[in-house]
Amino acid sequence: VVPCSWQHGGPITLASDTGLEDWLEVDLDLVADPDGSLRPKGHPMSVRLAGGSVGVVEDVVTLADRADPSSKVTLGWGRALPKPSVSGPRATYADVQPGVDLVLEVTRSGVEQFFIVKSKPALGAKPGLVAPLRASGRYTLAQDAGVVVVRDGDREVARTATPEVWDATIDAVSSHPVTKPWAWETPGRSGLARSLADQPQWKPV
């Protein structure tokens, strides 16, 4: 017998809140709560996405410690937000500004945010895409080489990814998943990665 171990890029199980089961499988599929907000069915953190409103939506994303809800990180918005279309762990808010969609995608370790600019802005004009990050409770924010680090006291608990921008030409070549319909690799198994069947096959030149 050859011993082996599995490695994962994020949490795959979480402790049950009910006590009826010891551990539950992480399930990233989004569901709506009675107040209209969205949450994944099962996540290591308490994750909430805004459900949309004609009034001012203060925060579009909230990630809180399940054991200490006062300790949280929020992505601010501060303006109206359309009701999103939902597919698996992805919520798409169409036309948050003319010609710009906001996409939020829940991952095992947090939430990814994308802005999709669907039409080229006029010369000299650019969308005002501002979503401030805030922390409260035990969590504090710090800058580190162009990214934001979330700390719990002296301990780093999370950090943002380096911001990236790509254009339609690059997207046509690399087929970035955010512009493709969501699909789980195995239907009904939200624990597995998205399907890459429609991705290009790279060949050496």
Side-chain angles (χ1 to χ4, degrees):
V1 177
V2 179
C4 64
S5 63
W6 292 94
Q7 294 184 346
H8 300 274
I12 60 171
T13 57
L14 66 152
S16 170
D17 289 330
T18 65
L20 299 177
E21 300 178 70
D22 290 332
W23 293 93
L24 301 174
E25 184 179 1
V26 170
D27 189 338
L28 304 182
D29 281 338
L30 293 172
V31 293
D33 279 338
D35 64 357
S37 64
L38 303 172
R39 61 174 175 83
K41 292 179 181 177
H43 198 279
M45 298 190 72
S46 175
V47 180
R48 288 289 184 275
L49 309 184
S53 171
V54 294
V56 173
V57 175
E58 295 295 340
D59 300 314
V60 70
V61 178
T62 302
L63 298 99
D65 187 327
R66 294 174 69 201
D68 177 16
S70 66
S71 296
K72 58 187 177 181
V73 176
T74 58
L75 189 67
W77 191 247
R79 47 200 182 277
L81 192 69
K83 184 177 180 179
S85 60
V86 176
S87 180
R90 178 188 293 172
T92 300
Y93 303 81
D95 295 313
V96 294
Q97 289 190 22
V100 180
D101 292 351
L102 166 64
V103 178
L104 300 175
E105 194 170 292
V106 179
T107 69
R108 293 181 180 278
S109 56
V111 178
E112 289 186 298
Q113 169 206 323
F114 304 91
F115 286 109
I116 300 178
V117 181
K118 299 179 290 185
S119 56
K120 184 177 181 179
L123 185 65
K126 60 181 179 180
L129 305 174
V130 178
L133 201 61
R134 299 187 294 269
S136 59
R138 302 191 325 273
Y139 297 149
T140 58
L141 303 179
Q143 294 274 351
D144 180 21
V147 302
V148 179
V149 177
V150 182
R151 297 189 179 277
D152 182 351
D154 294 332
R155 182 170 64 96
E156 180 181 320
V157 294
R159 65 171 51 216
T160 62
T162 302
E164 294 182 325
V165 177
W166 60 94
D167 64 14
T169 302
I170 296 298
D171 186 66
V173 173
S174 63
S175 187
H176 193 281
V178 77
T179 62
K180 299 292 182 181
W182 181 268
W184 292 113
E185 192 169 58
T186 302
R189 289 295 308 279
S190 64
L192 299 179
R194 80 185 75 185
S195 172
L196 298 180
D198 59 351
Q199 301 299 299
Q201 300 299 311
W202 298 102
K203 298 180 180 180
V205 177

